[in-house]
């Protein structure tokens, strides 16, 4: 799979380094580079690259602000010298976070992760039509009934209805299914999984957990969810949305 990219960094030397990395990486095409984040906005919106290599600390418009303005089909790989932005980066569609000085092996690993994400996303967004038997792509979450996961070098198709919950551990996620005794482990981020799953059926209740709402057994007074064989505490950041969901399910509401 060939991916397109744009580089945005206010340091010319950093841009040159990333350009050299892109030129060395198979199936990665550079559309443009910018040292001015404001100038980069229109190009990103018009060209809609697959990937945006984006610095965070920049004058006028910083990387976090720019990340909120990009097309939904563009994914961010942050490049920064400040590791304190790591957690915040995953809240703005980031696939990865590269800490400067960036080494090529780290860059390549981030691109491989992005390629896996786009491959899984494109496969899971294909819905076969009954009339022609040809897979047509759709971005409607409600239409997709399955996902493809890369597990042990193979693509496994799973039914969304089979998912009990998903947990994250660093750069990997584990899918717990009703039909499997052990979880399926794949190389993705929790944010990317959250984007793939239909929001009317799944909710993120913890930095490391996404649950199938229909499979919750009970919720105790301490905001702990009992689901499958797991007890998951709903953390403060996700509690308001979860409480709103619970309130909507009360009889008489």
């Amino acid at each position: 799979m060939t991916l397109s990219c744009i580089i945005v960094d206010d340091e010319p030397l950093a841009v040159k380094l990333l350009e050299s990395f892109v030129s060395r990486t198979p199936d990665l095409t550079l559309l443009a580079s910018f040292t001015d984040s404001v100038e980069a906005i229109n190009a990103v919106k018009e060209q809609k690259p697959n990937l945006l290599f984006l610095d965070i600390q920049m004058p006028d418009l910083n990387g976090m602000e720019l990340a909120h303005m990009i097309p939904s089909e563009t994914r961010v790989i942050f490049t920064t010298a400040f590791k304190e932005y790591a957690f915040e980066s995953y809240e703005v569609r980031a696939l990865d976070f590269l800490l400067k000085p960036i080494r090529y092996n780290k860059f390549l690993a981030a691109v491989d992760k992005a390629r896996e994400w786009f491959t899984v996303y494109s496969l899971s967004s294909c819905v076969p039509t009954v009339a022609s038997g040809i897979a047509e792509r759709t971005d409607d979450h409600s239409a997709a009934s399955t996902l493809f996961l890369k597990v042990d070098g193979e693509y496994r198709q799973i039914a969304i209805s089979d998912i009990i919950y998903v947990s994250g551990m660093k750069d990997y996620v584990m899918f717990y299914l009703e039909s499997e005794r052990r979880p399926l482990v794949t190389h993705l981020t929790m944010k990317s999984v959250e984007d793939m799953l239909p929001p009317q059926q799944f909710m993120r209740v913890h930095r490391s957990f996404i649950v199938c709402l229909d499979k919750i057994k009970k919720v105790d007074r301490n905001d702990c969810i009992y689901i499958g064989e797991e007890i998951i505490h709903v953390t403060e950041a996700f509690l308001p949305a979860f409480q709103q969901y619970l309130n909507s399910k009360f009889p008489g509401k």
Side-chain angles (χ1 to χ4, degrees), residues 64-192:
M64 289 296 177
E65 294 169 332
L66 194 154
H68 285 286
M69 305 168 68
I70 65 175
S72 60
E73 54 265 53
T74 297
R75 294 287 159 168
V76 171
I77 295 178
F78 279 115
T79 59
T80 180
F82 302 93
K83 63 181 179 181
E84 58 265 29
Y85 290 110
F87 177 73
E88 187 179 355
S89 71
Y90 289 104
E91 302 303 317
V92 286
R93 311 184 65 83
L95 283 181
D96 212 339
F97 182 93
L98 296 176
L99 194 62
K100 296 178 180 178
I102 301 169
R103 299 178 65 86
Y104 181 64
N105 64 324
K106 297 293 186 181
F107 175 89
L108 192 58
V111 173
D112 287 342
K113 182 191 296 186
R115 189 171 285 113
E116 286 190 12
W117 190 94
F118 278 102
T119 300
V120 171
Y121 182 79
S122 63
L123 287 170
S124 63
S125 298
C126 291
V127 180
T129 59
V130 176
S132 64
I134 299 174
E136 296 182 351
R137 181 170 178 168
T138 175
D139 291 325
D140 183 1
H141 281 296
S142 63
S145 60
T146 63
L147 289 175
F148 277 86
L149 302 177
K150 190 174 184 180
V151 181
D152 295 329
E154 299 178 341
Y155 286 102
R156 291 276 303 275
Q157 184 172 207
I158 65 168
I160 290 177
S161 60
D162 197 23
I163 301 171
I164 304 172
Y165 66 93
V166 182
S167 69
M169 183 176 62
K170 293 187 178 180
D171 295 332
Y172 292 86
V173 295
M174 293 173 283
F175 283 76
Y176 289 81
L177 310 177
E178 291 182 321
S179 62
E180 299 277 345
R181 294 181 59 185
R182 295 182 178 181
L184 302 183
V185 182
T186 187
H187 191 233
L188 289 171
T189 66
M190 288 293 287
K191 180 59 179 174
S192 62

Side-chain angles (χ1 to χ4, degrees), residues 209-228:
F209 288 96
I210 298 170
V211 301
C212 176
L213 296 169
D214 291 341
K215 293 182 171 61
I216 295 174
K217 298 174 183 177
K218 70 174 182 177
V219 182
D220 68 20
R221 66 183 67 186
N222 296 314
D223 299 314
C224 290
I225 294 172
Y226 293 70
I227 185 169

Side-chain angles (χ1 to χ4, degrees), residues 247-253:
N247 291 336
S248 71
K249 293 298 181 179
F250 283 147
K253 289 286 184 180

Side-chain angles (χ1 to χ4, degrees), residues 1-68:
M1 171 181 286
T2 299
L3 299 178
S4 59
C5 68
I6 285 178
I7 297 168
V8 183
D9 196 310
D10 66 325
E11 299 177 7
L13 289 178
V15 170
K16 291 295 183 183
L17 177 66
L18 290 173
E19 287 177 341
S20 70
F21 285 172
V22 172
S23 67
R24 294 167 57 186
T25 306
D27 299 323
L28 185 60
T29 301
L30 181 63
L31 300 180
S33 298
F34 296 90
T35 54
D36 188 320
S37 56
V38 176
E39 290 182 2
I41 296 173
N42 288 336
V44 174
K45 289 182 177 180
E46 291 173 5
Q47 299 188 55
K48 295 181 174 63
N50 299 121
L51 295 177
L52 181 61
F53 292 99
L54 181 60
D55 188 20
I56 294 179
Q57 283 205 339
M58 295 184 289
D60 298 325
L61 183 71
N62 68 44
M64 289 296 177
E65 294 169 332
L66 194 154
H68 285 286

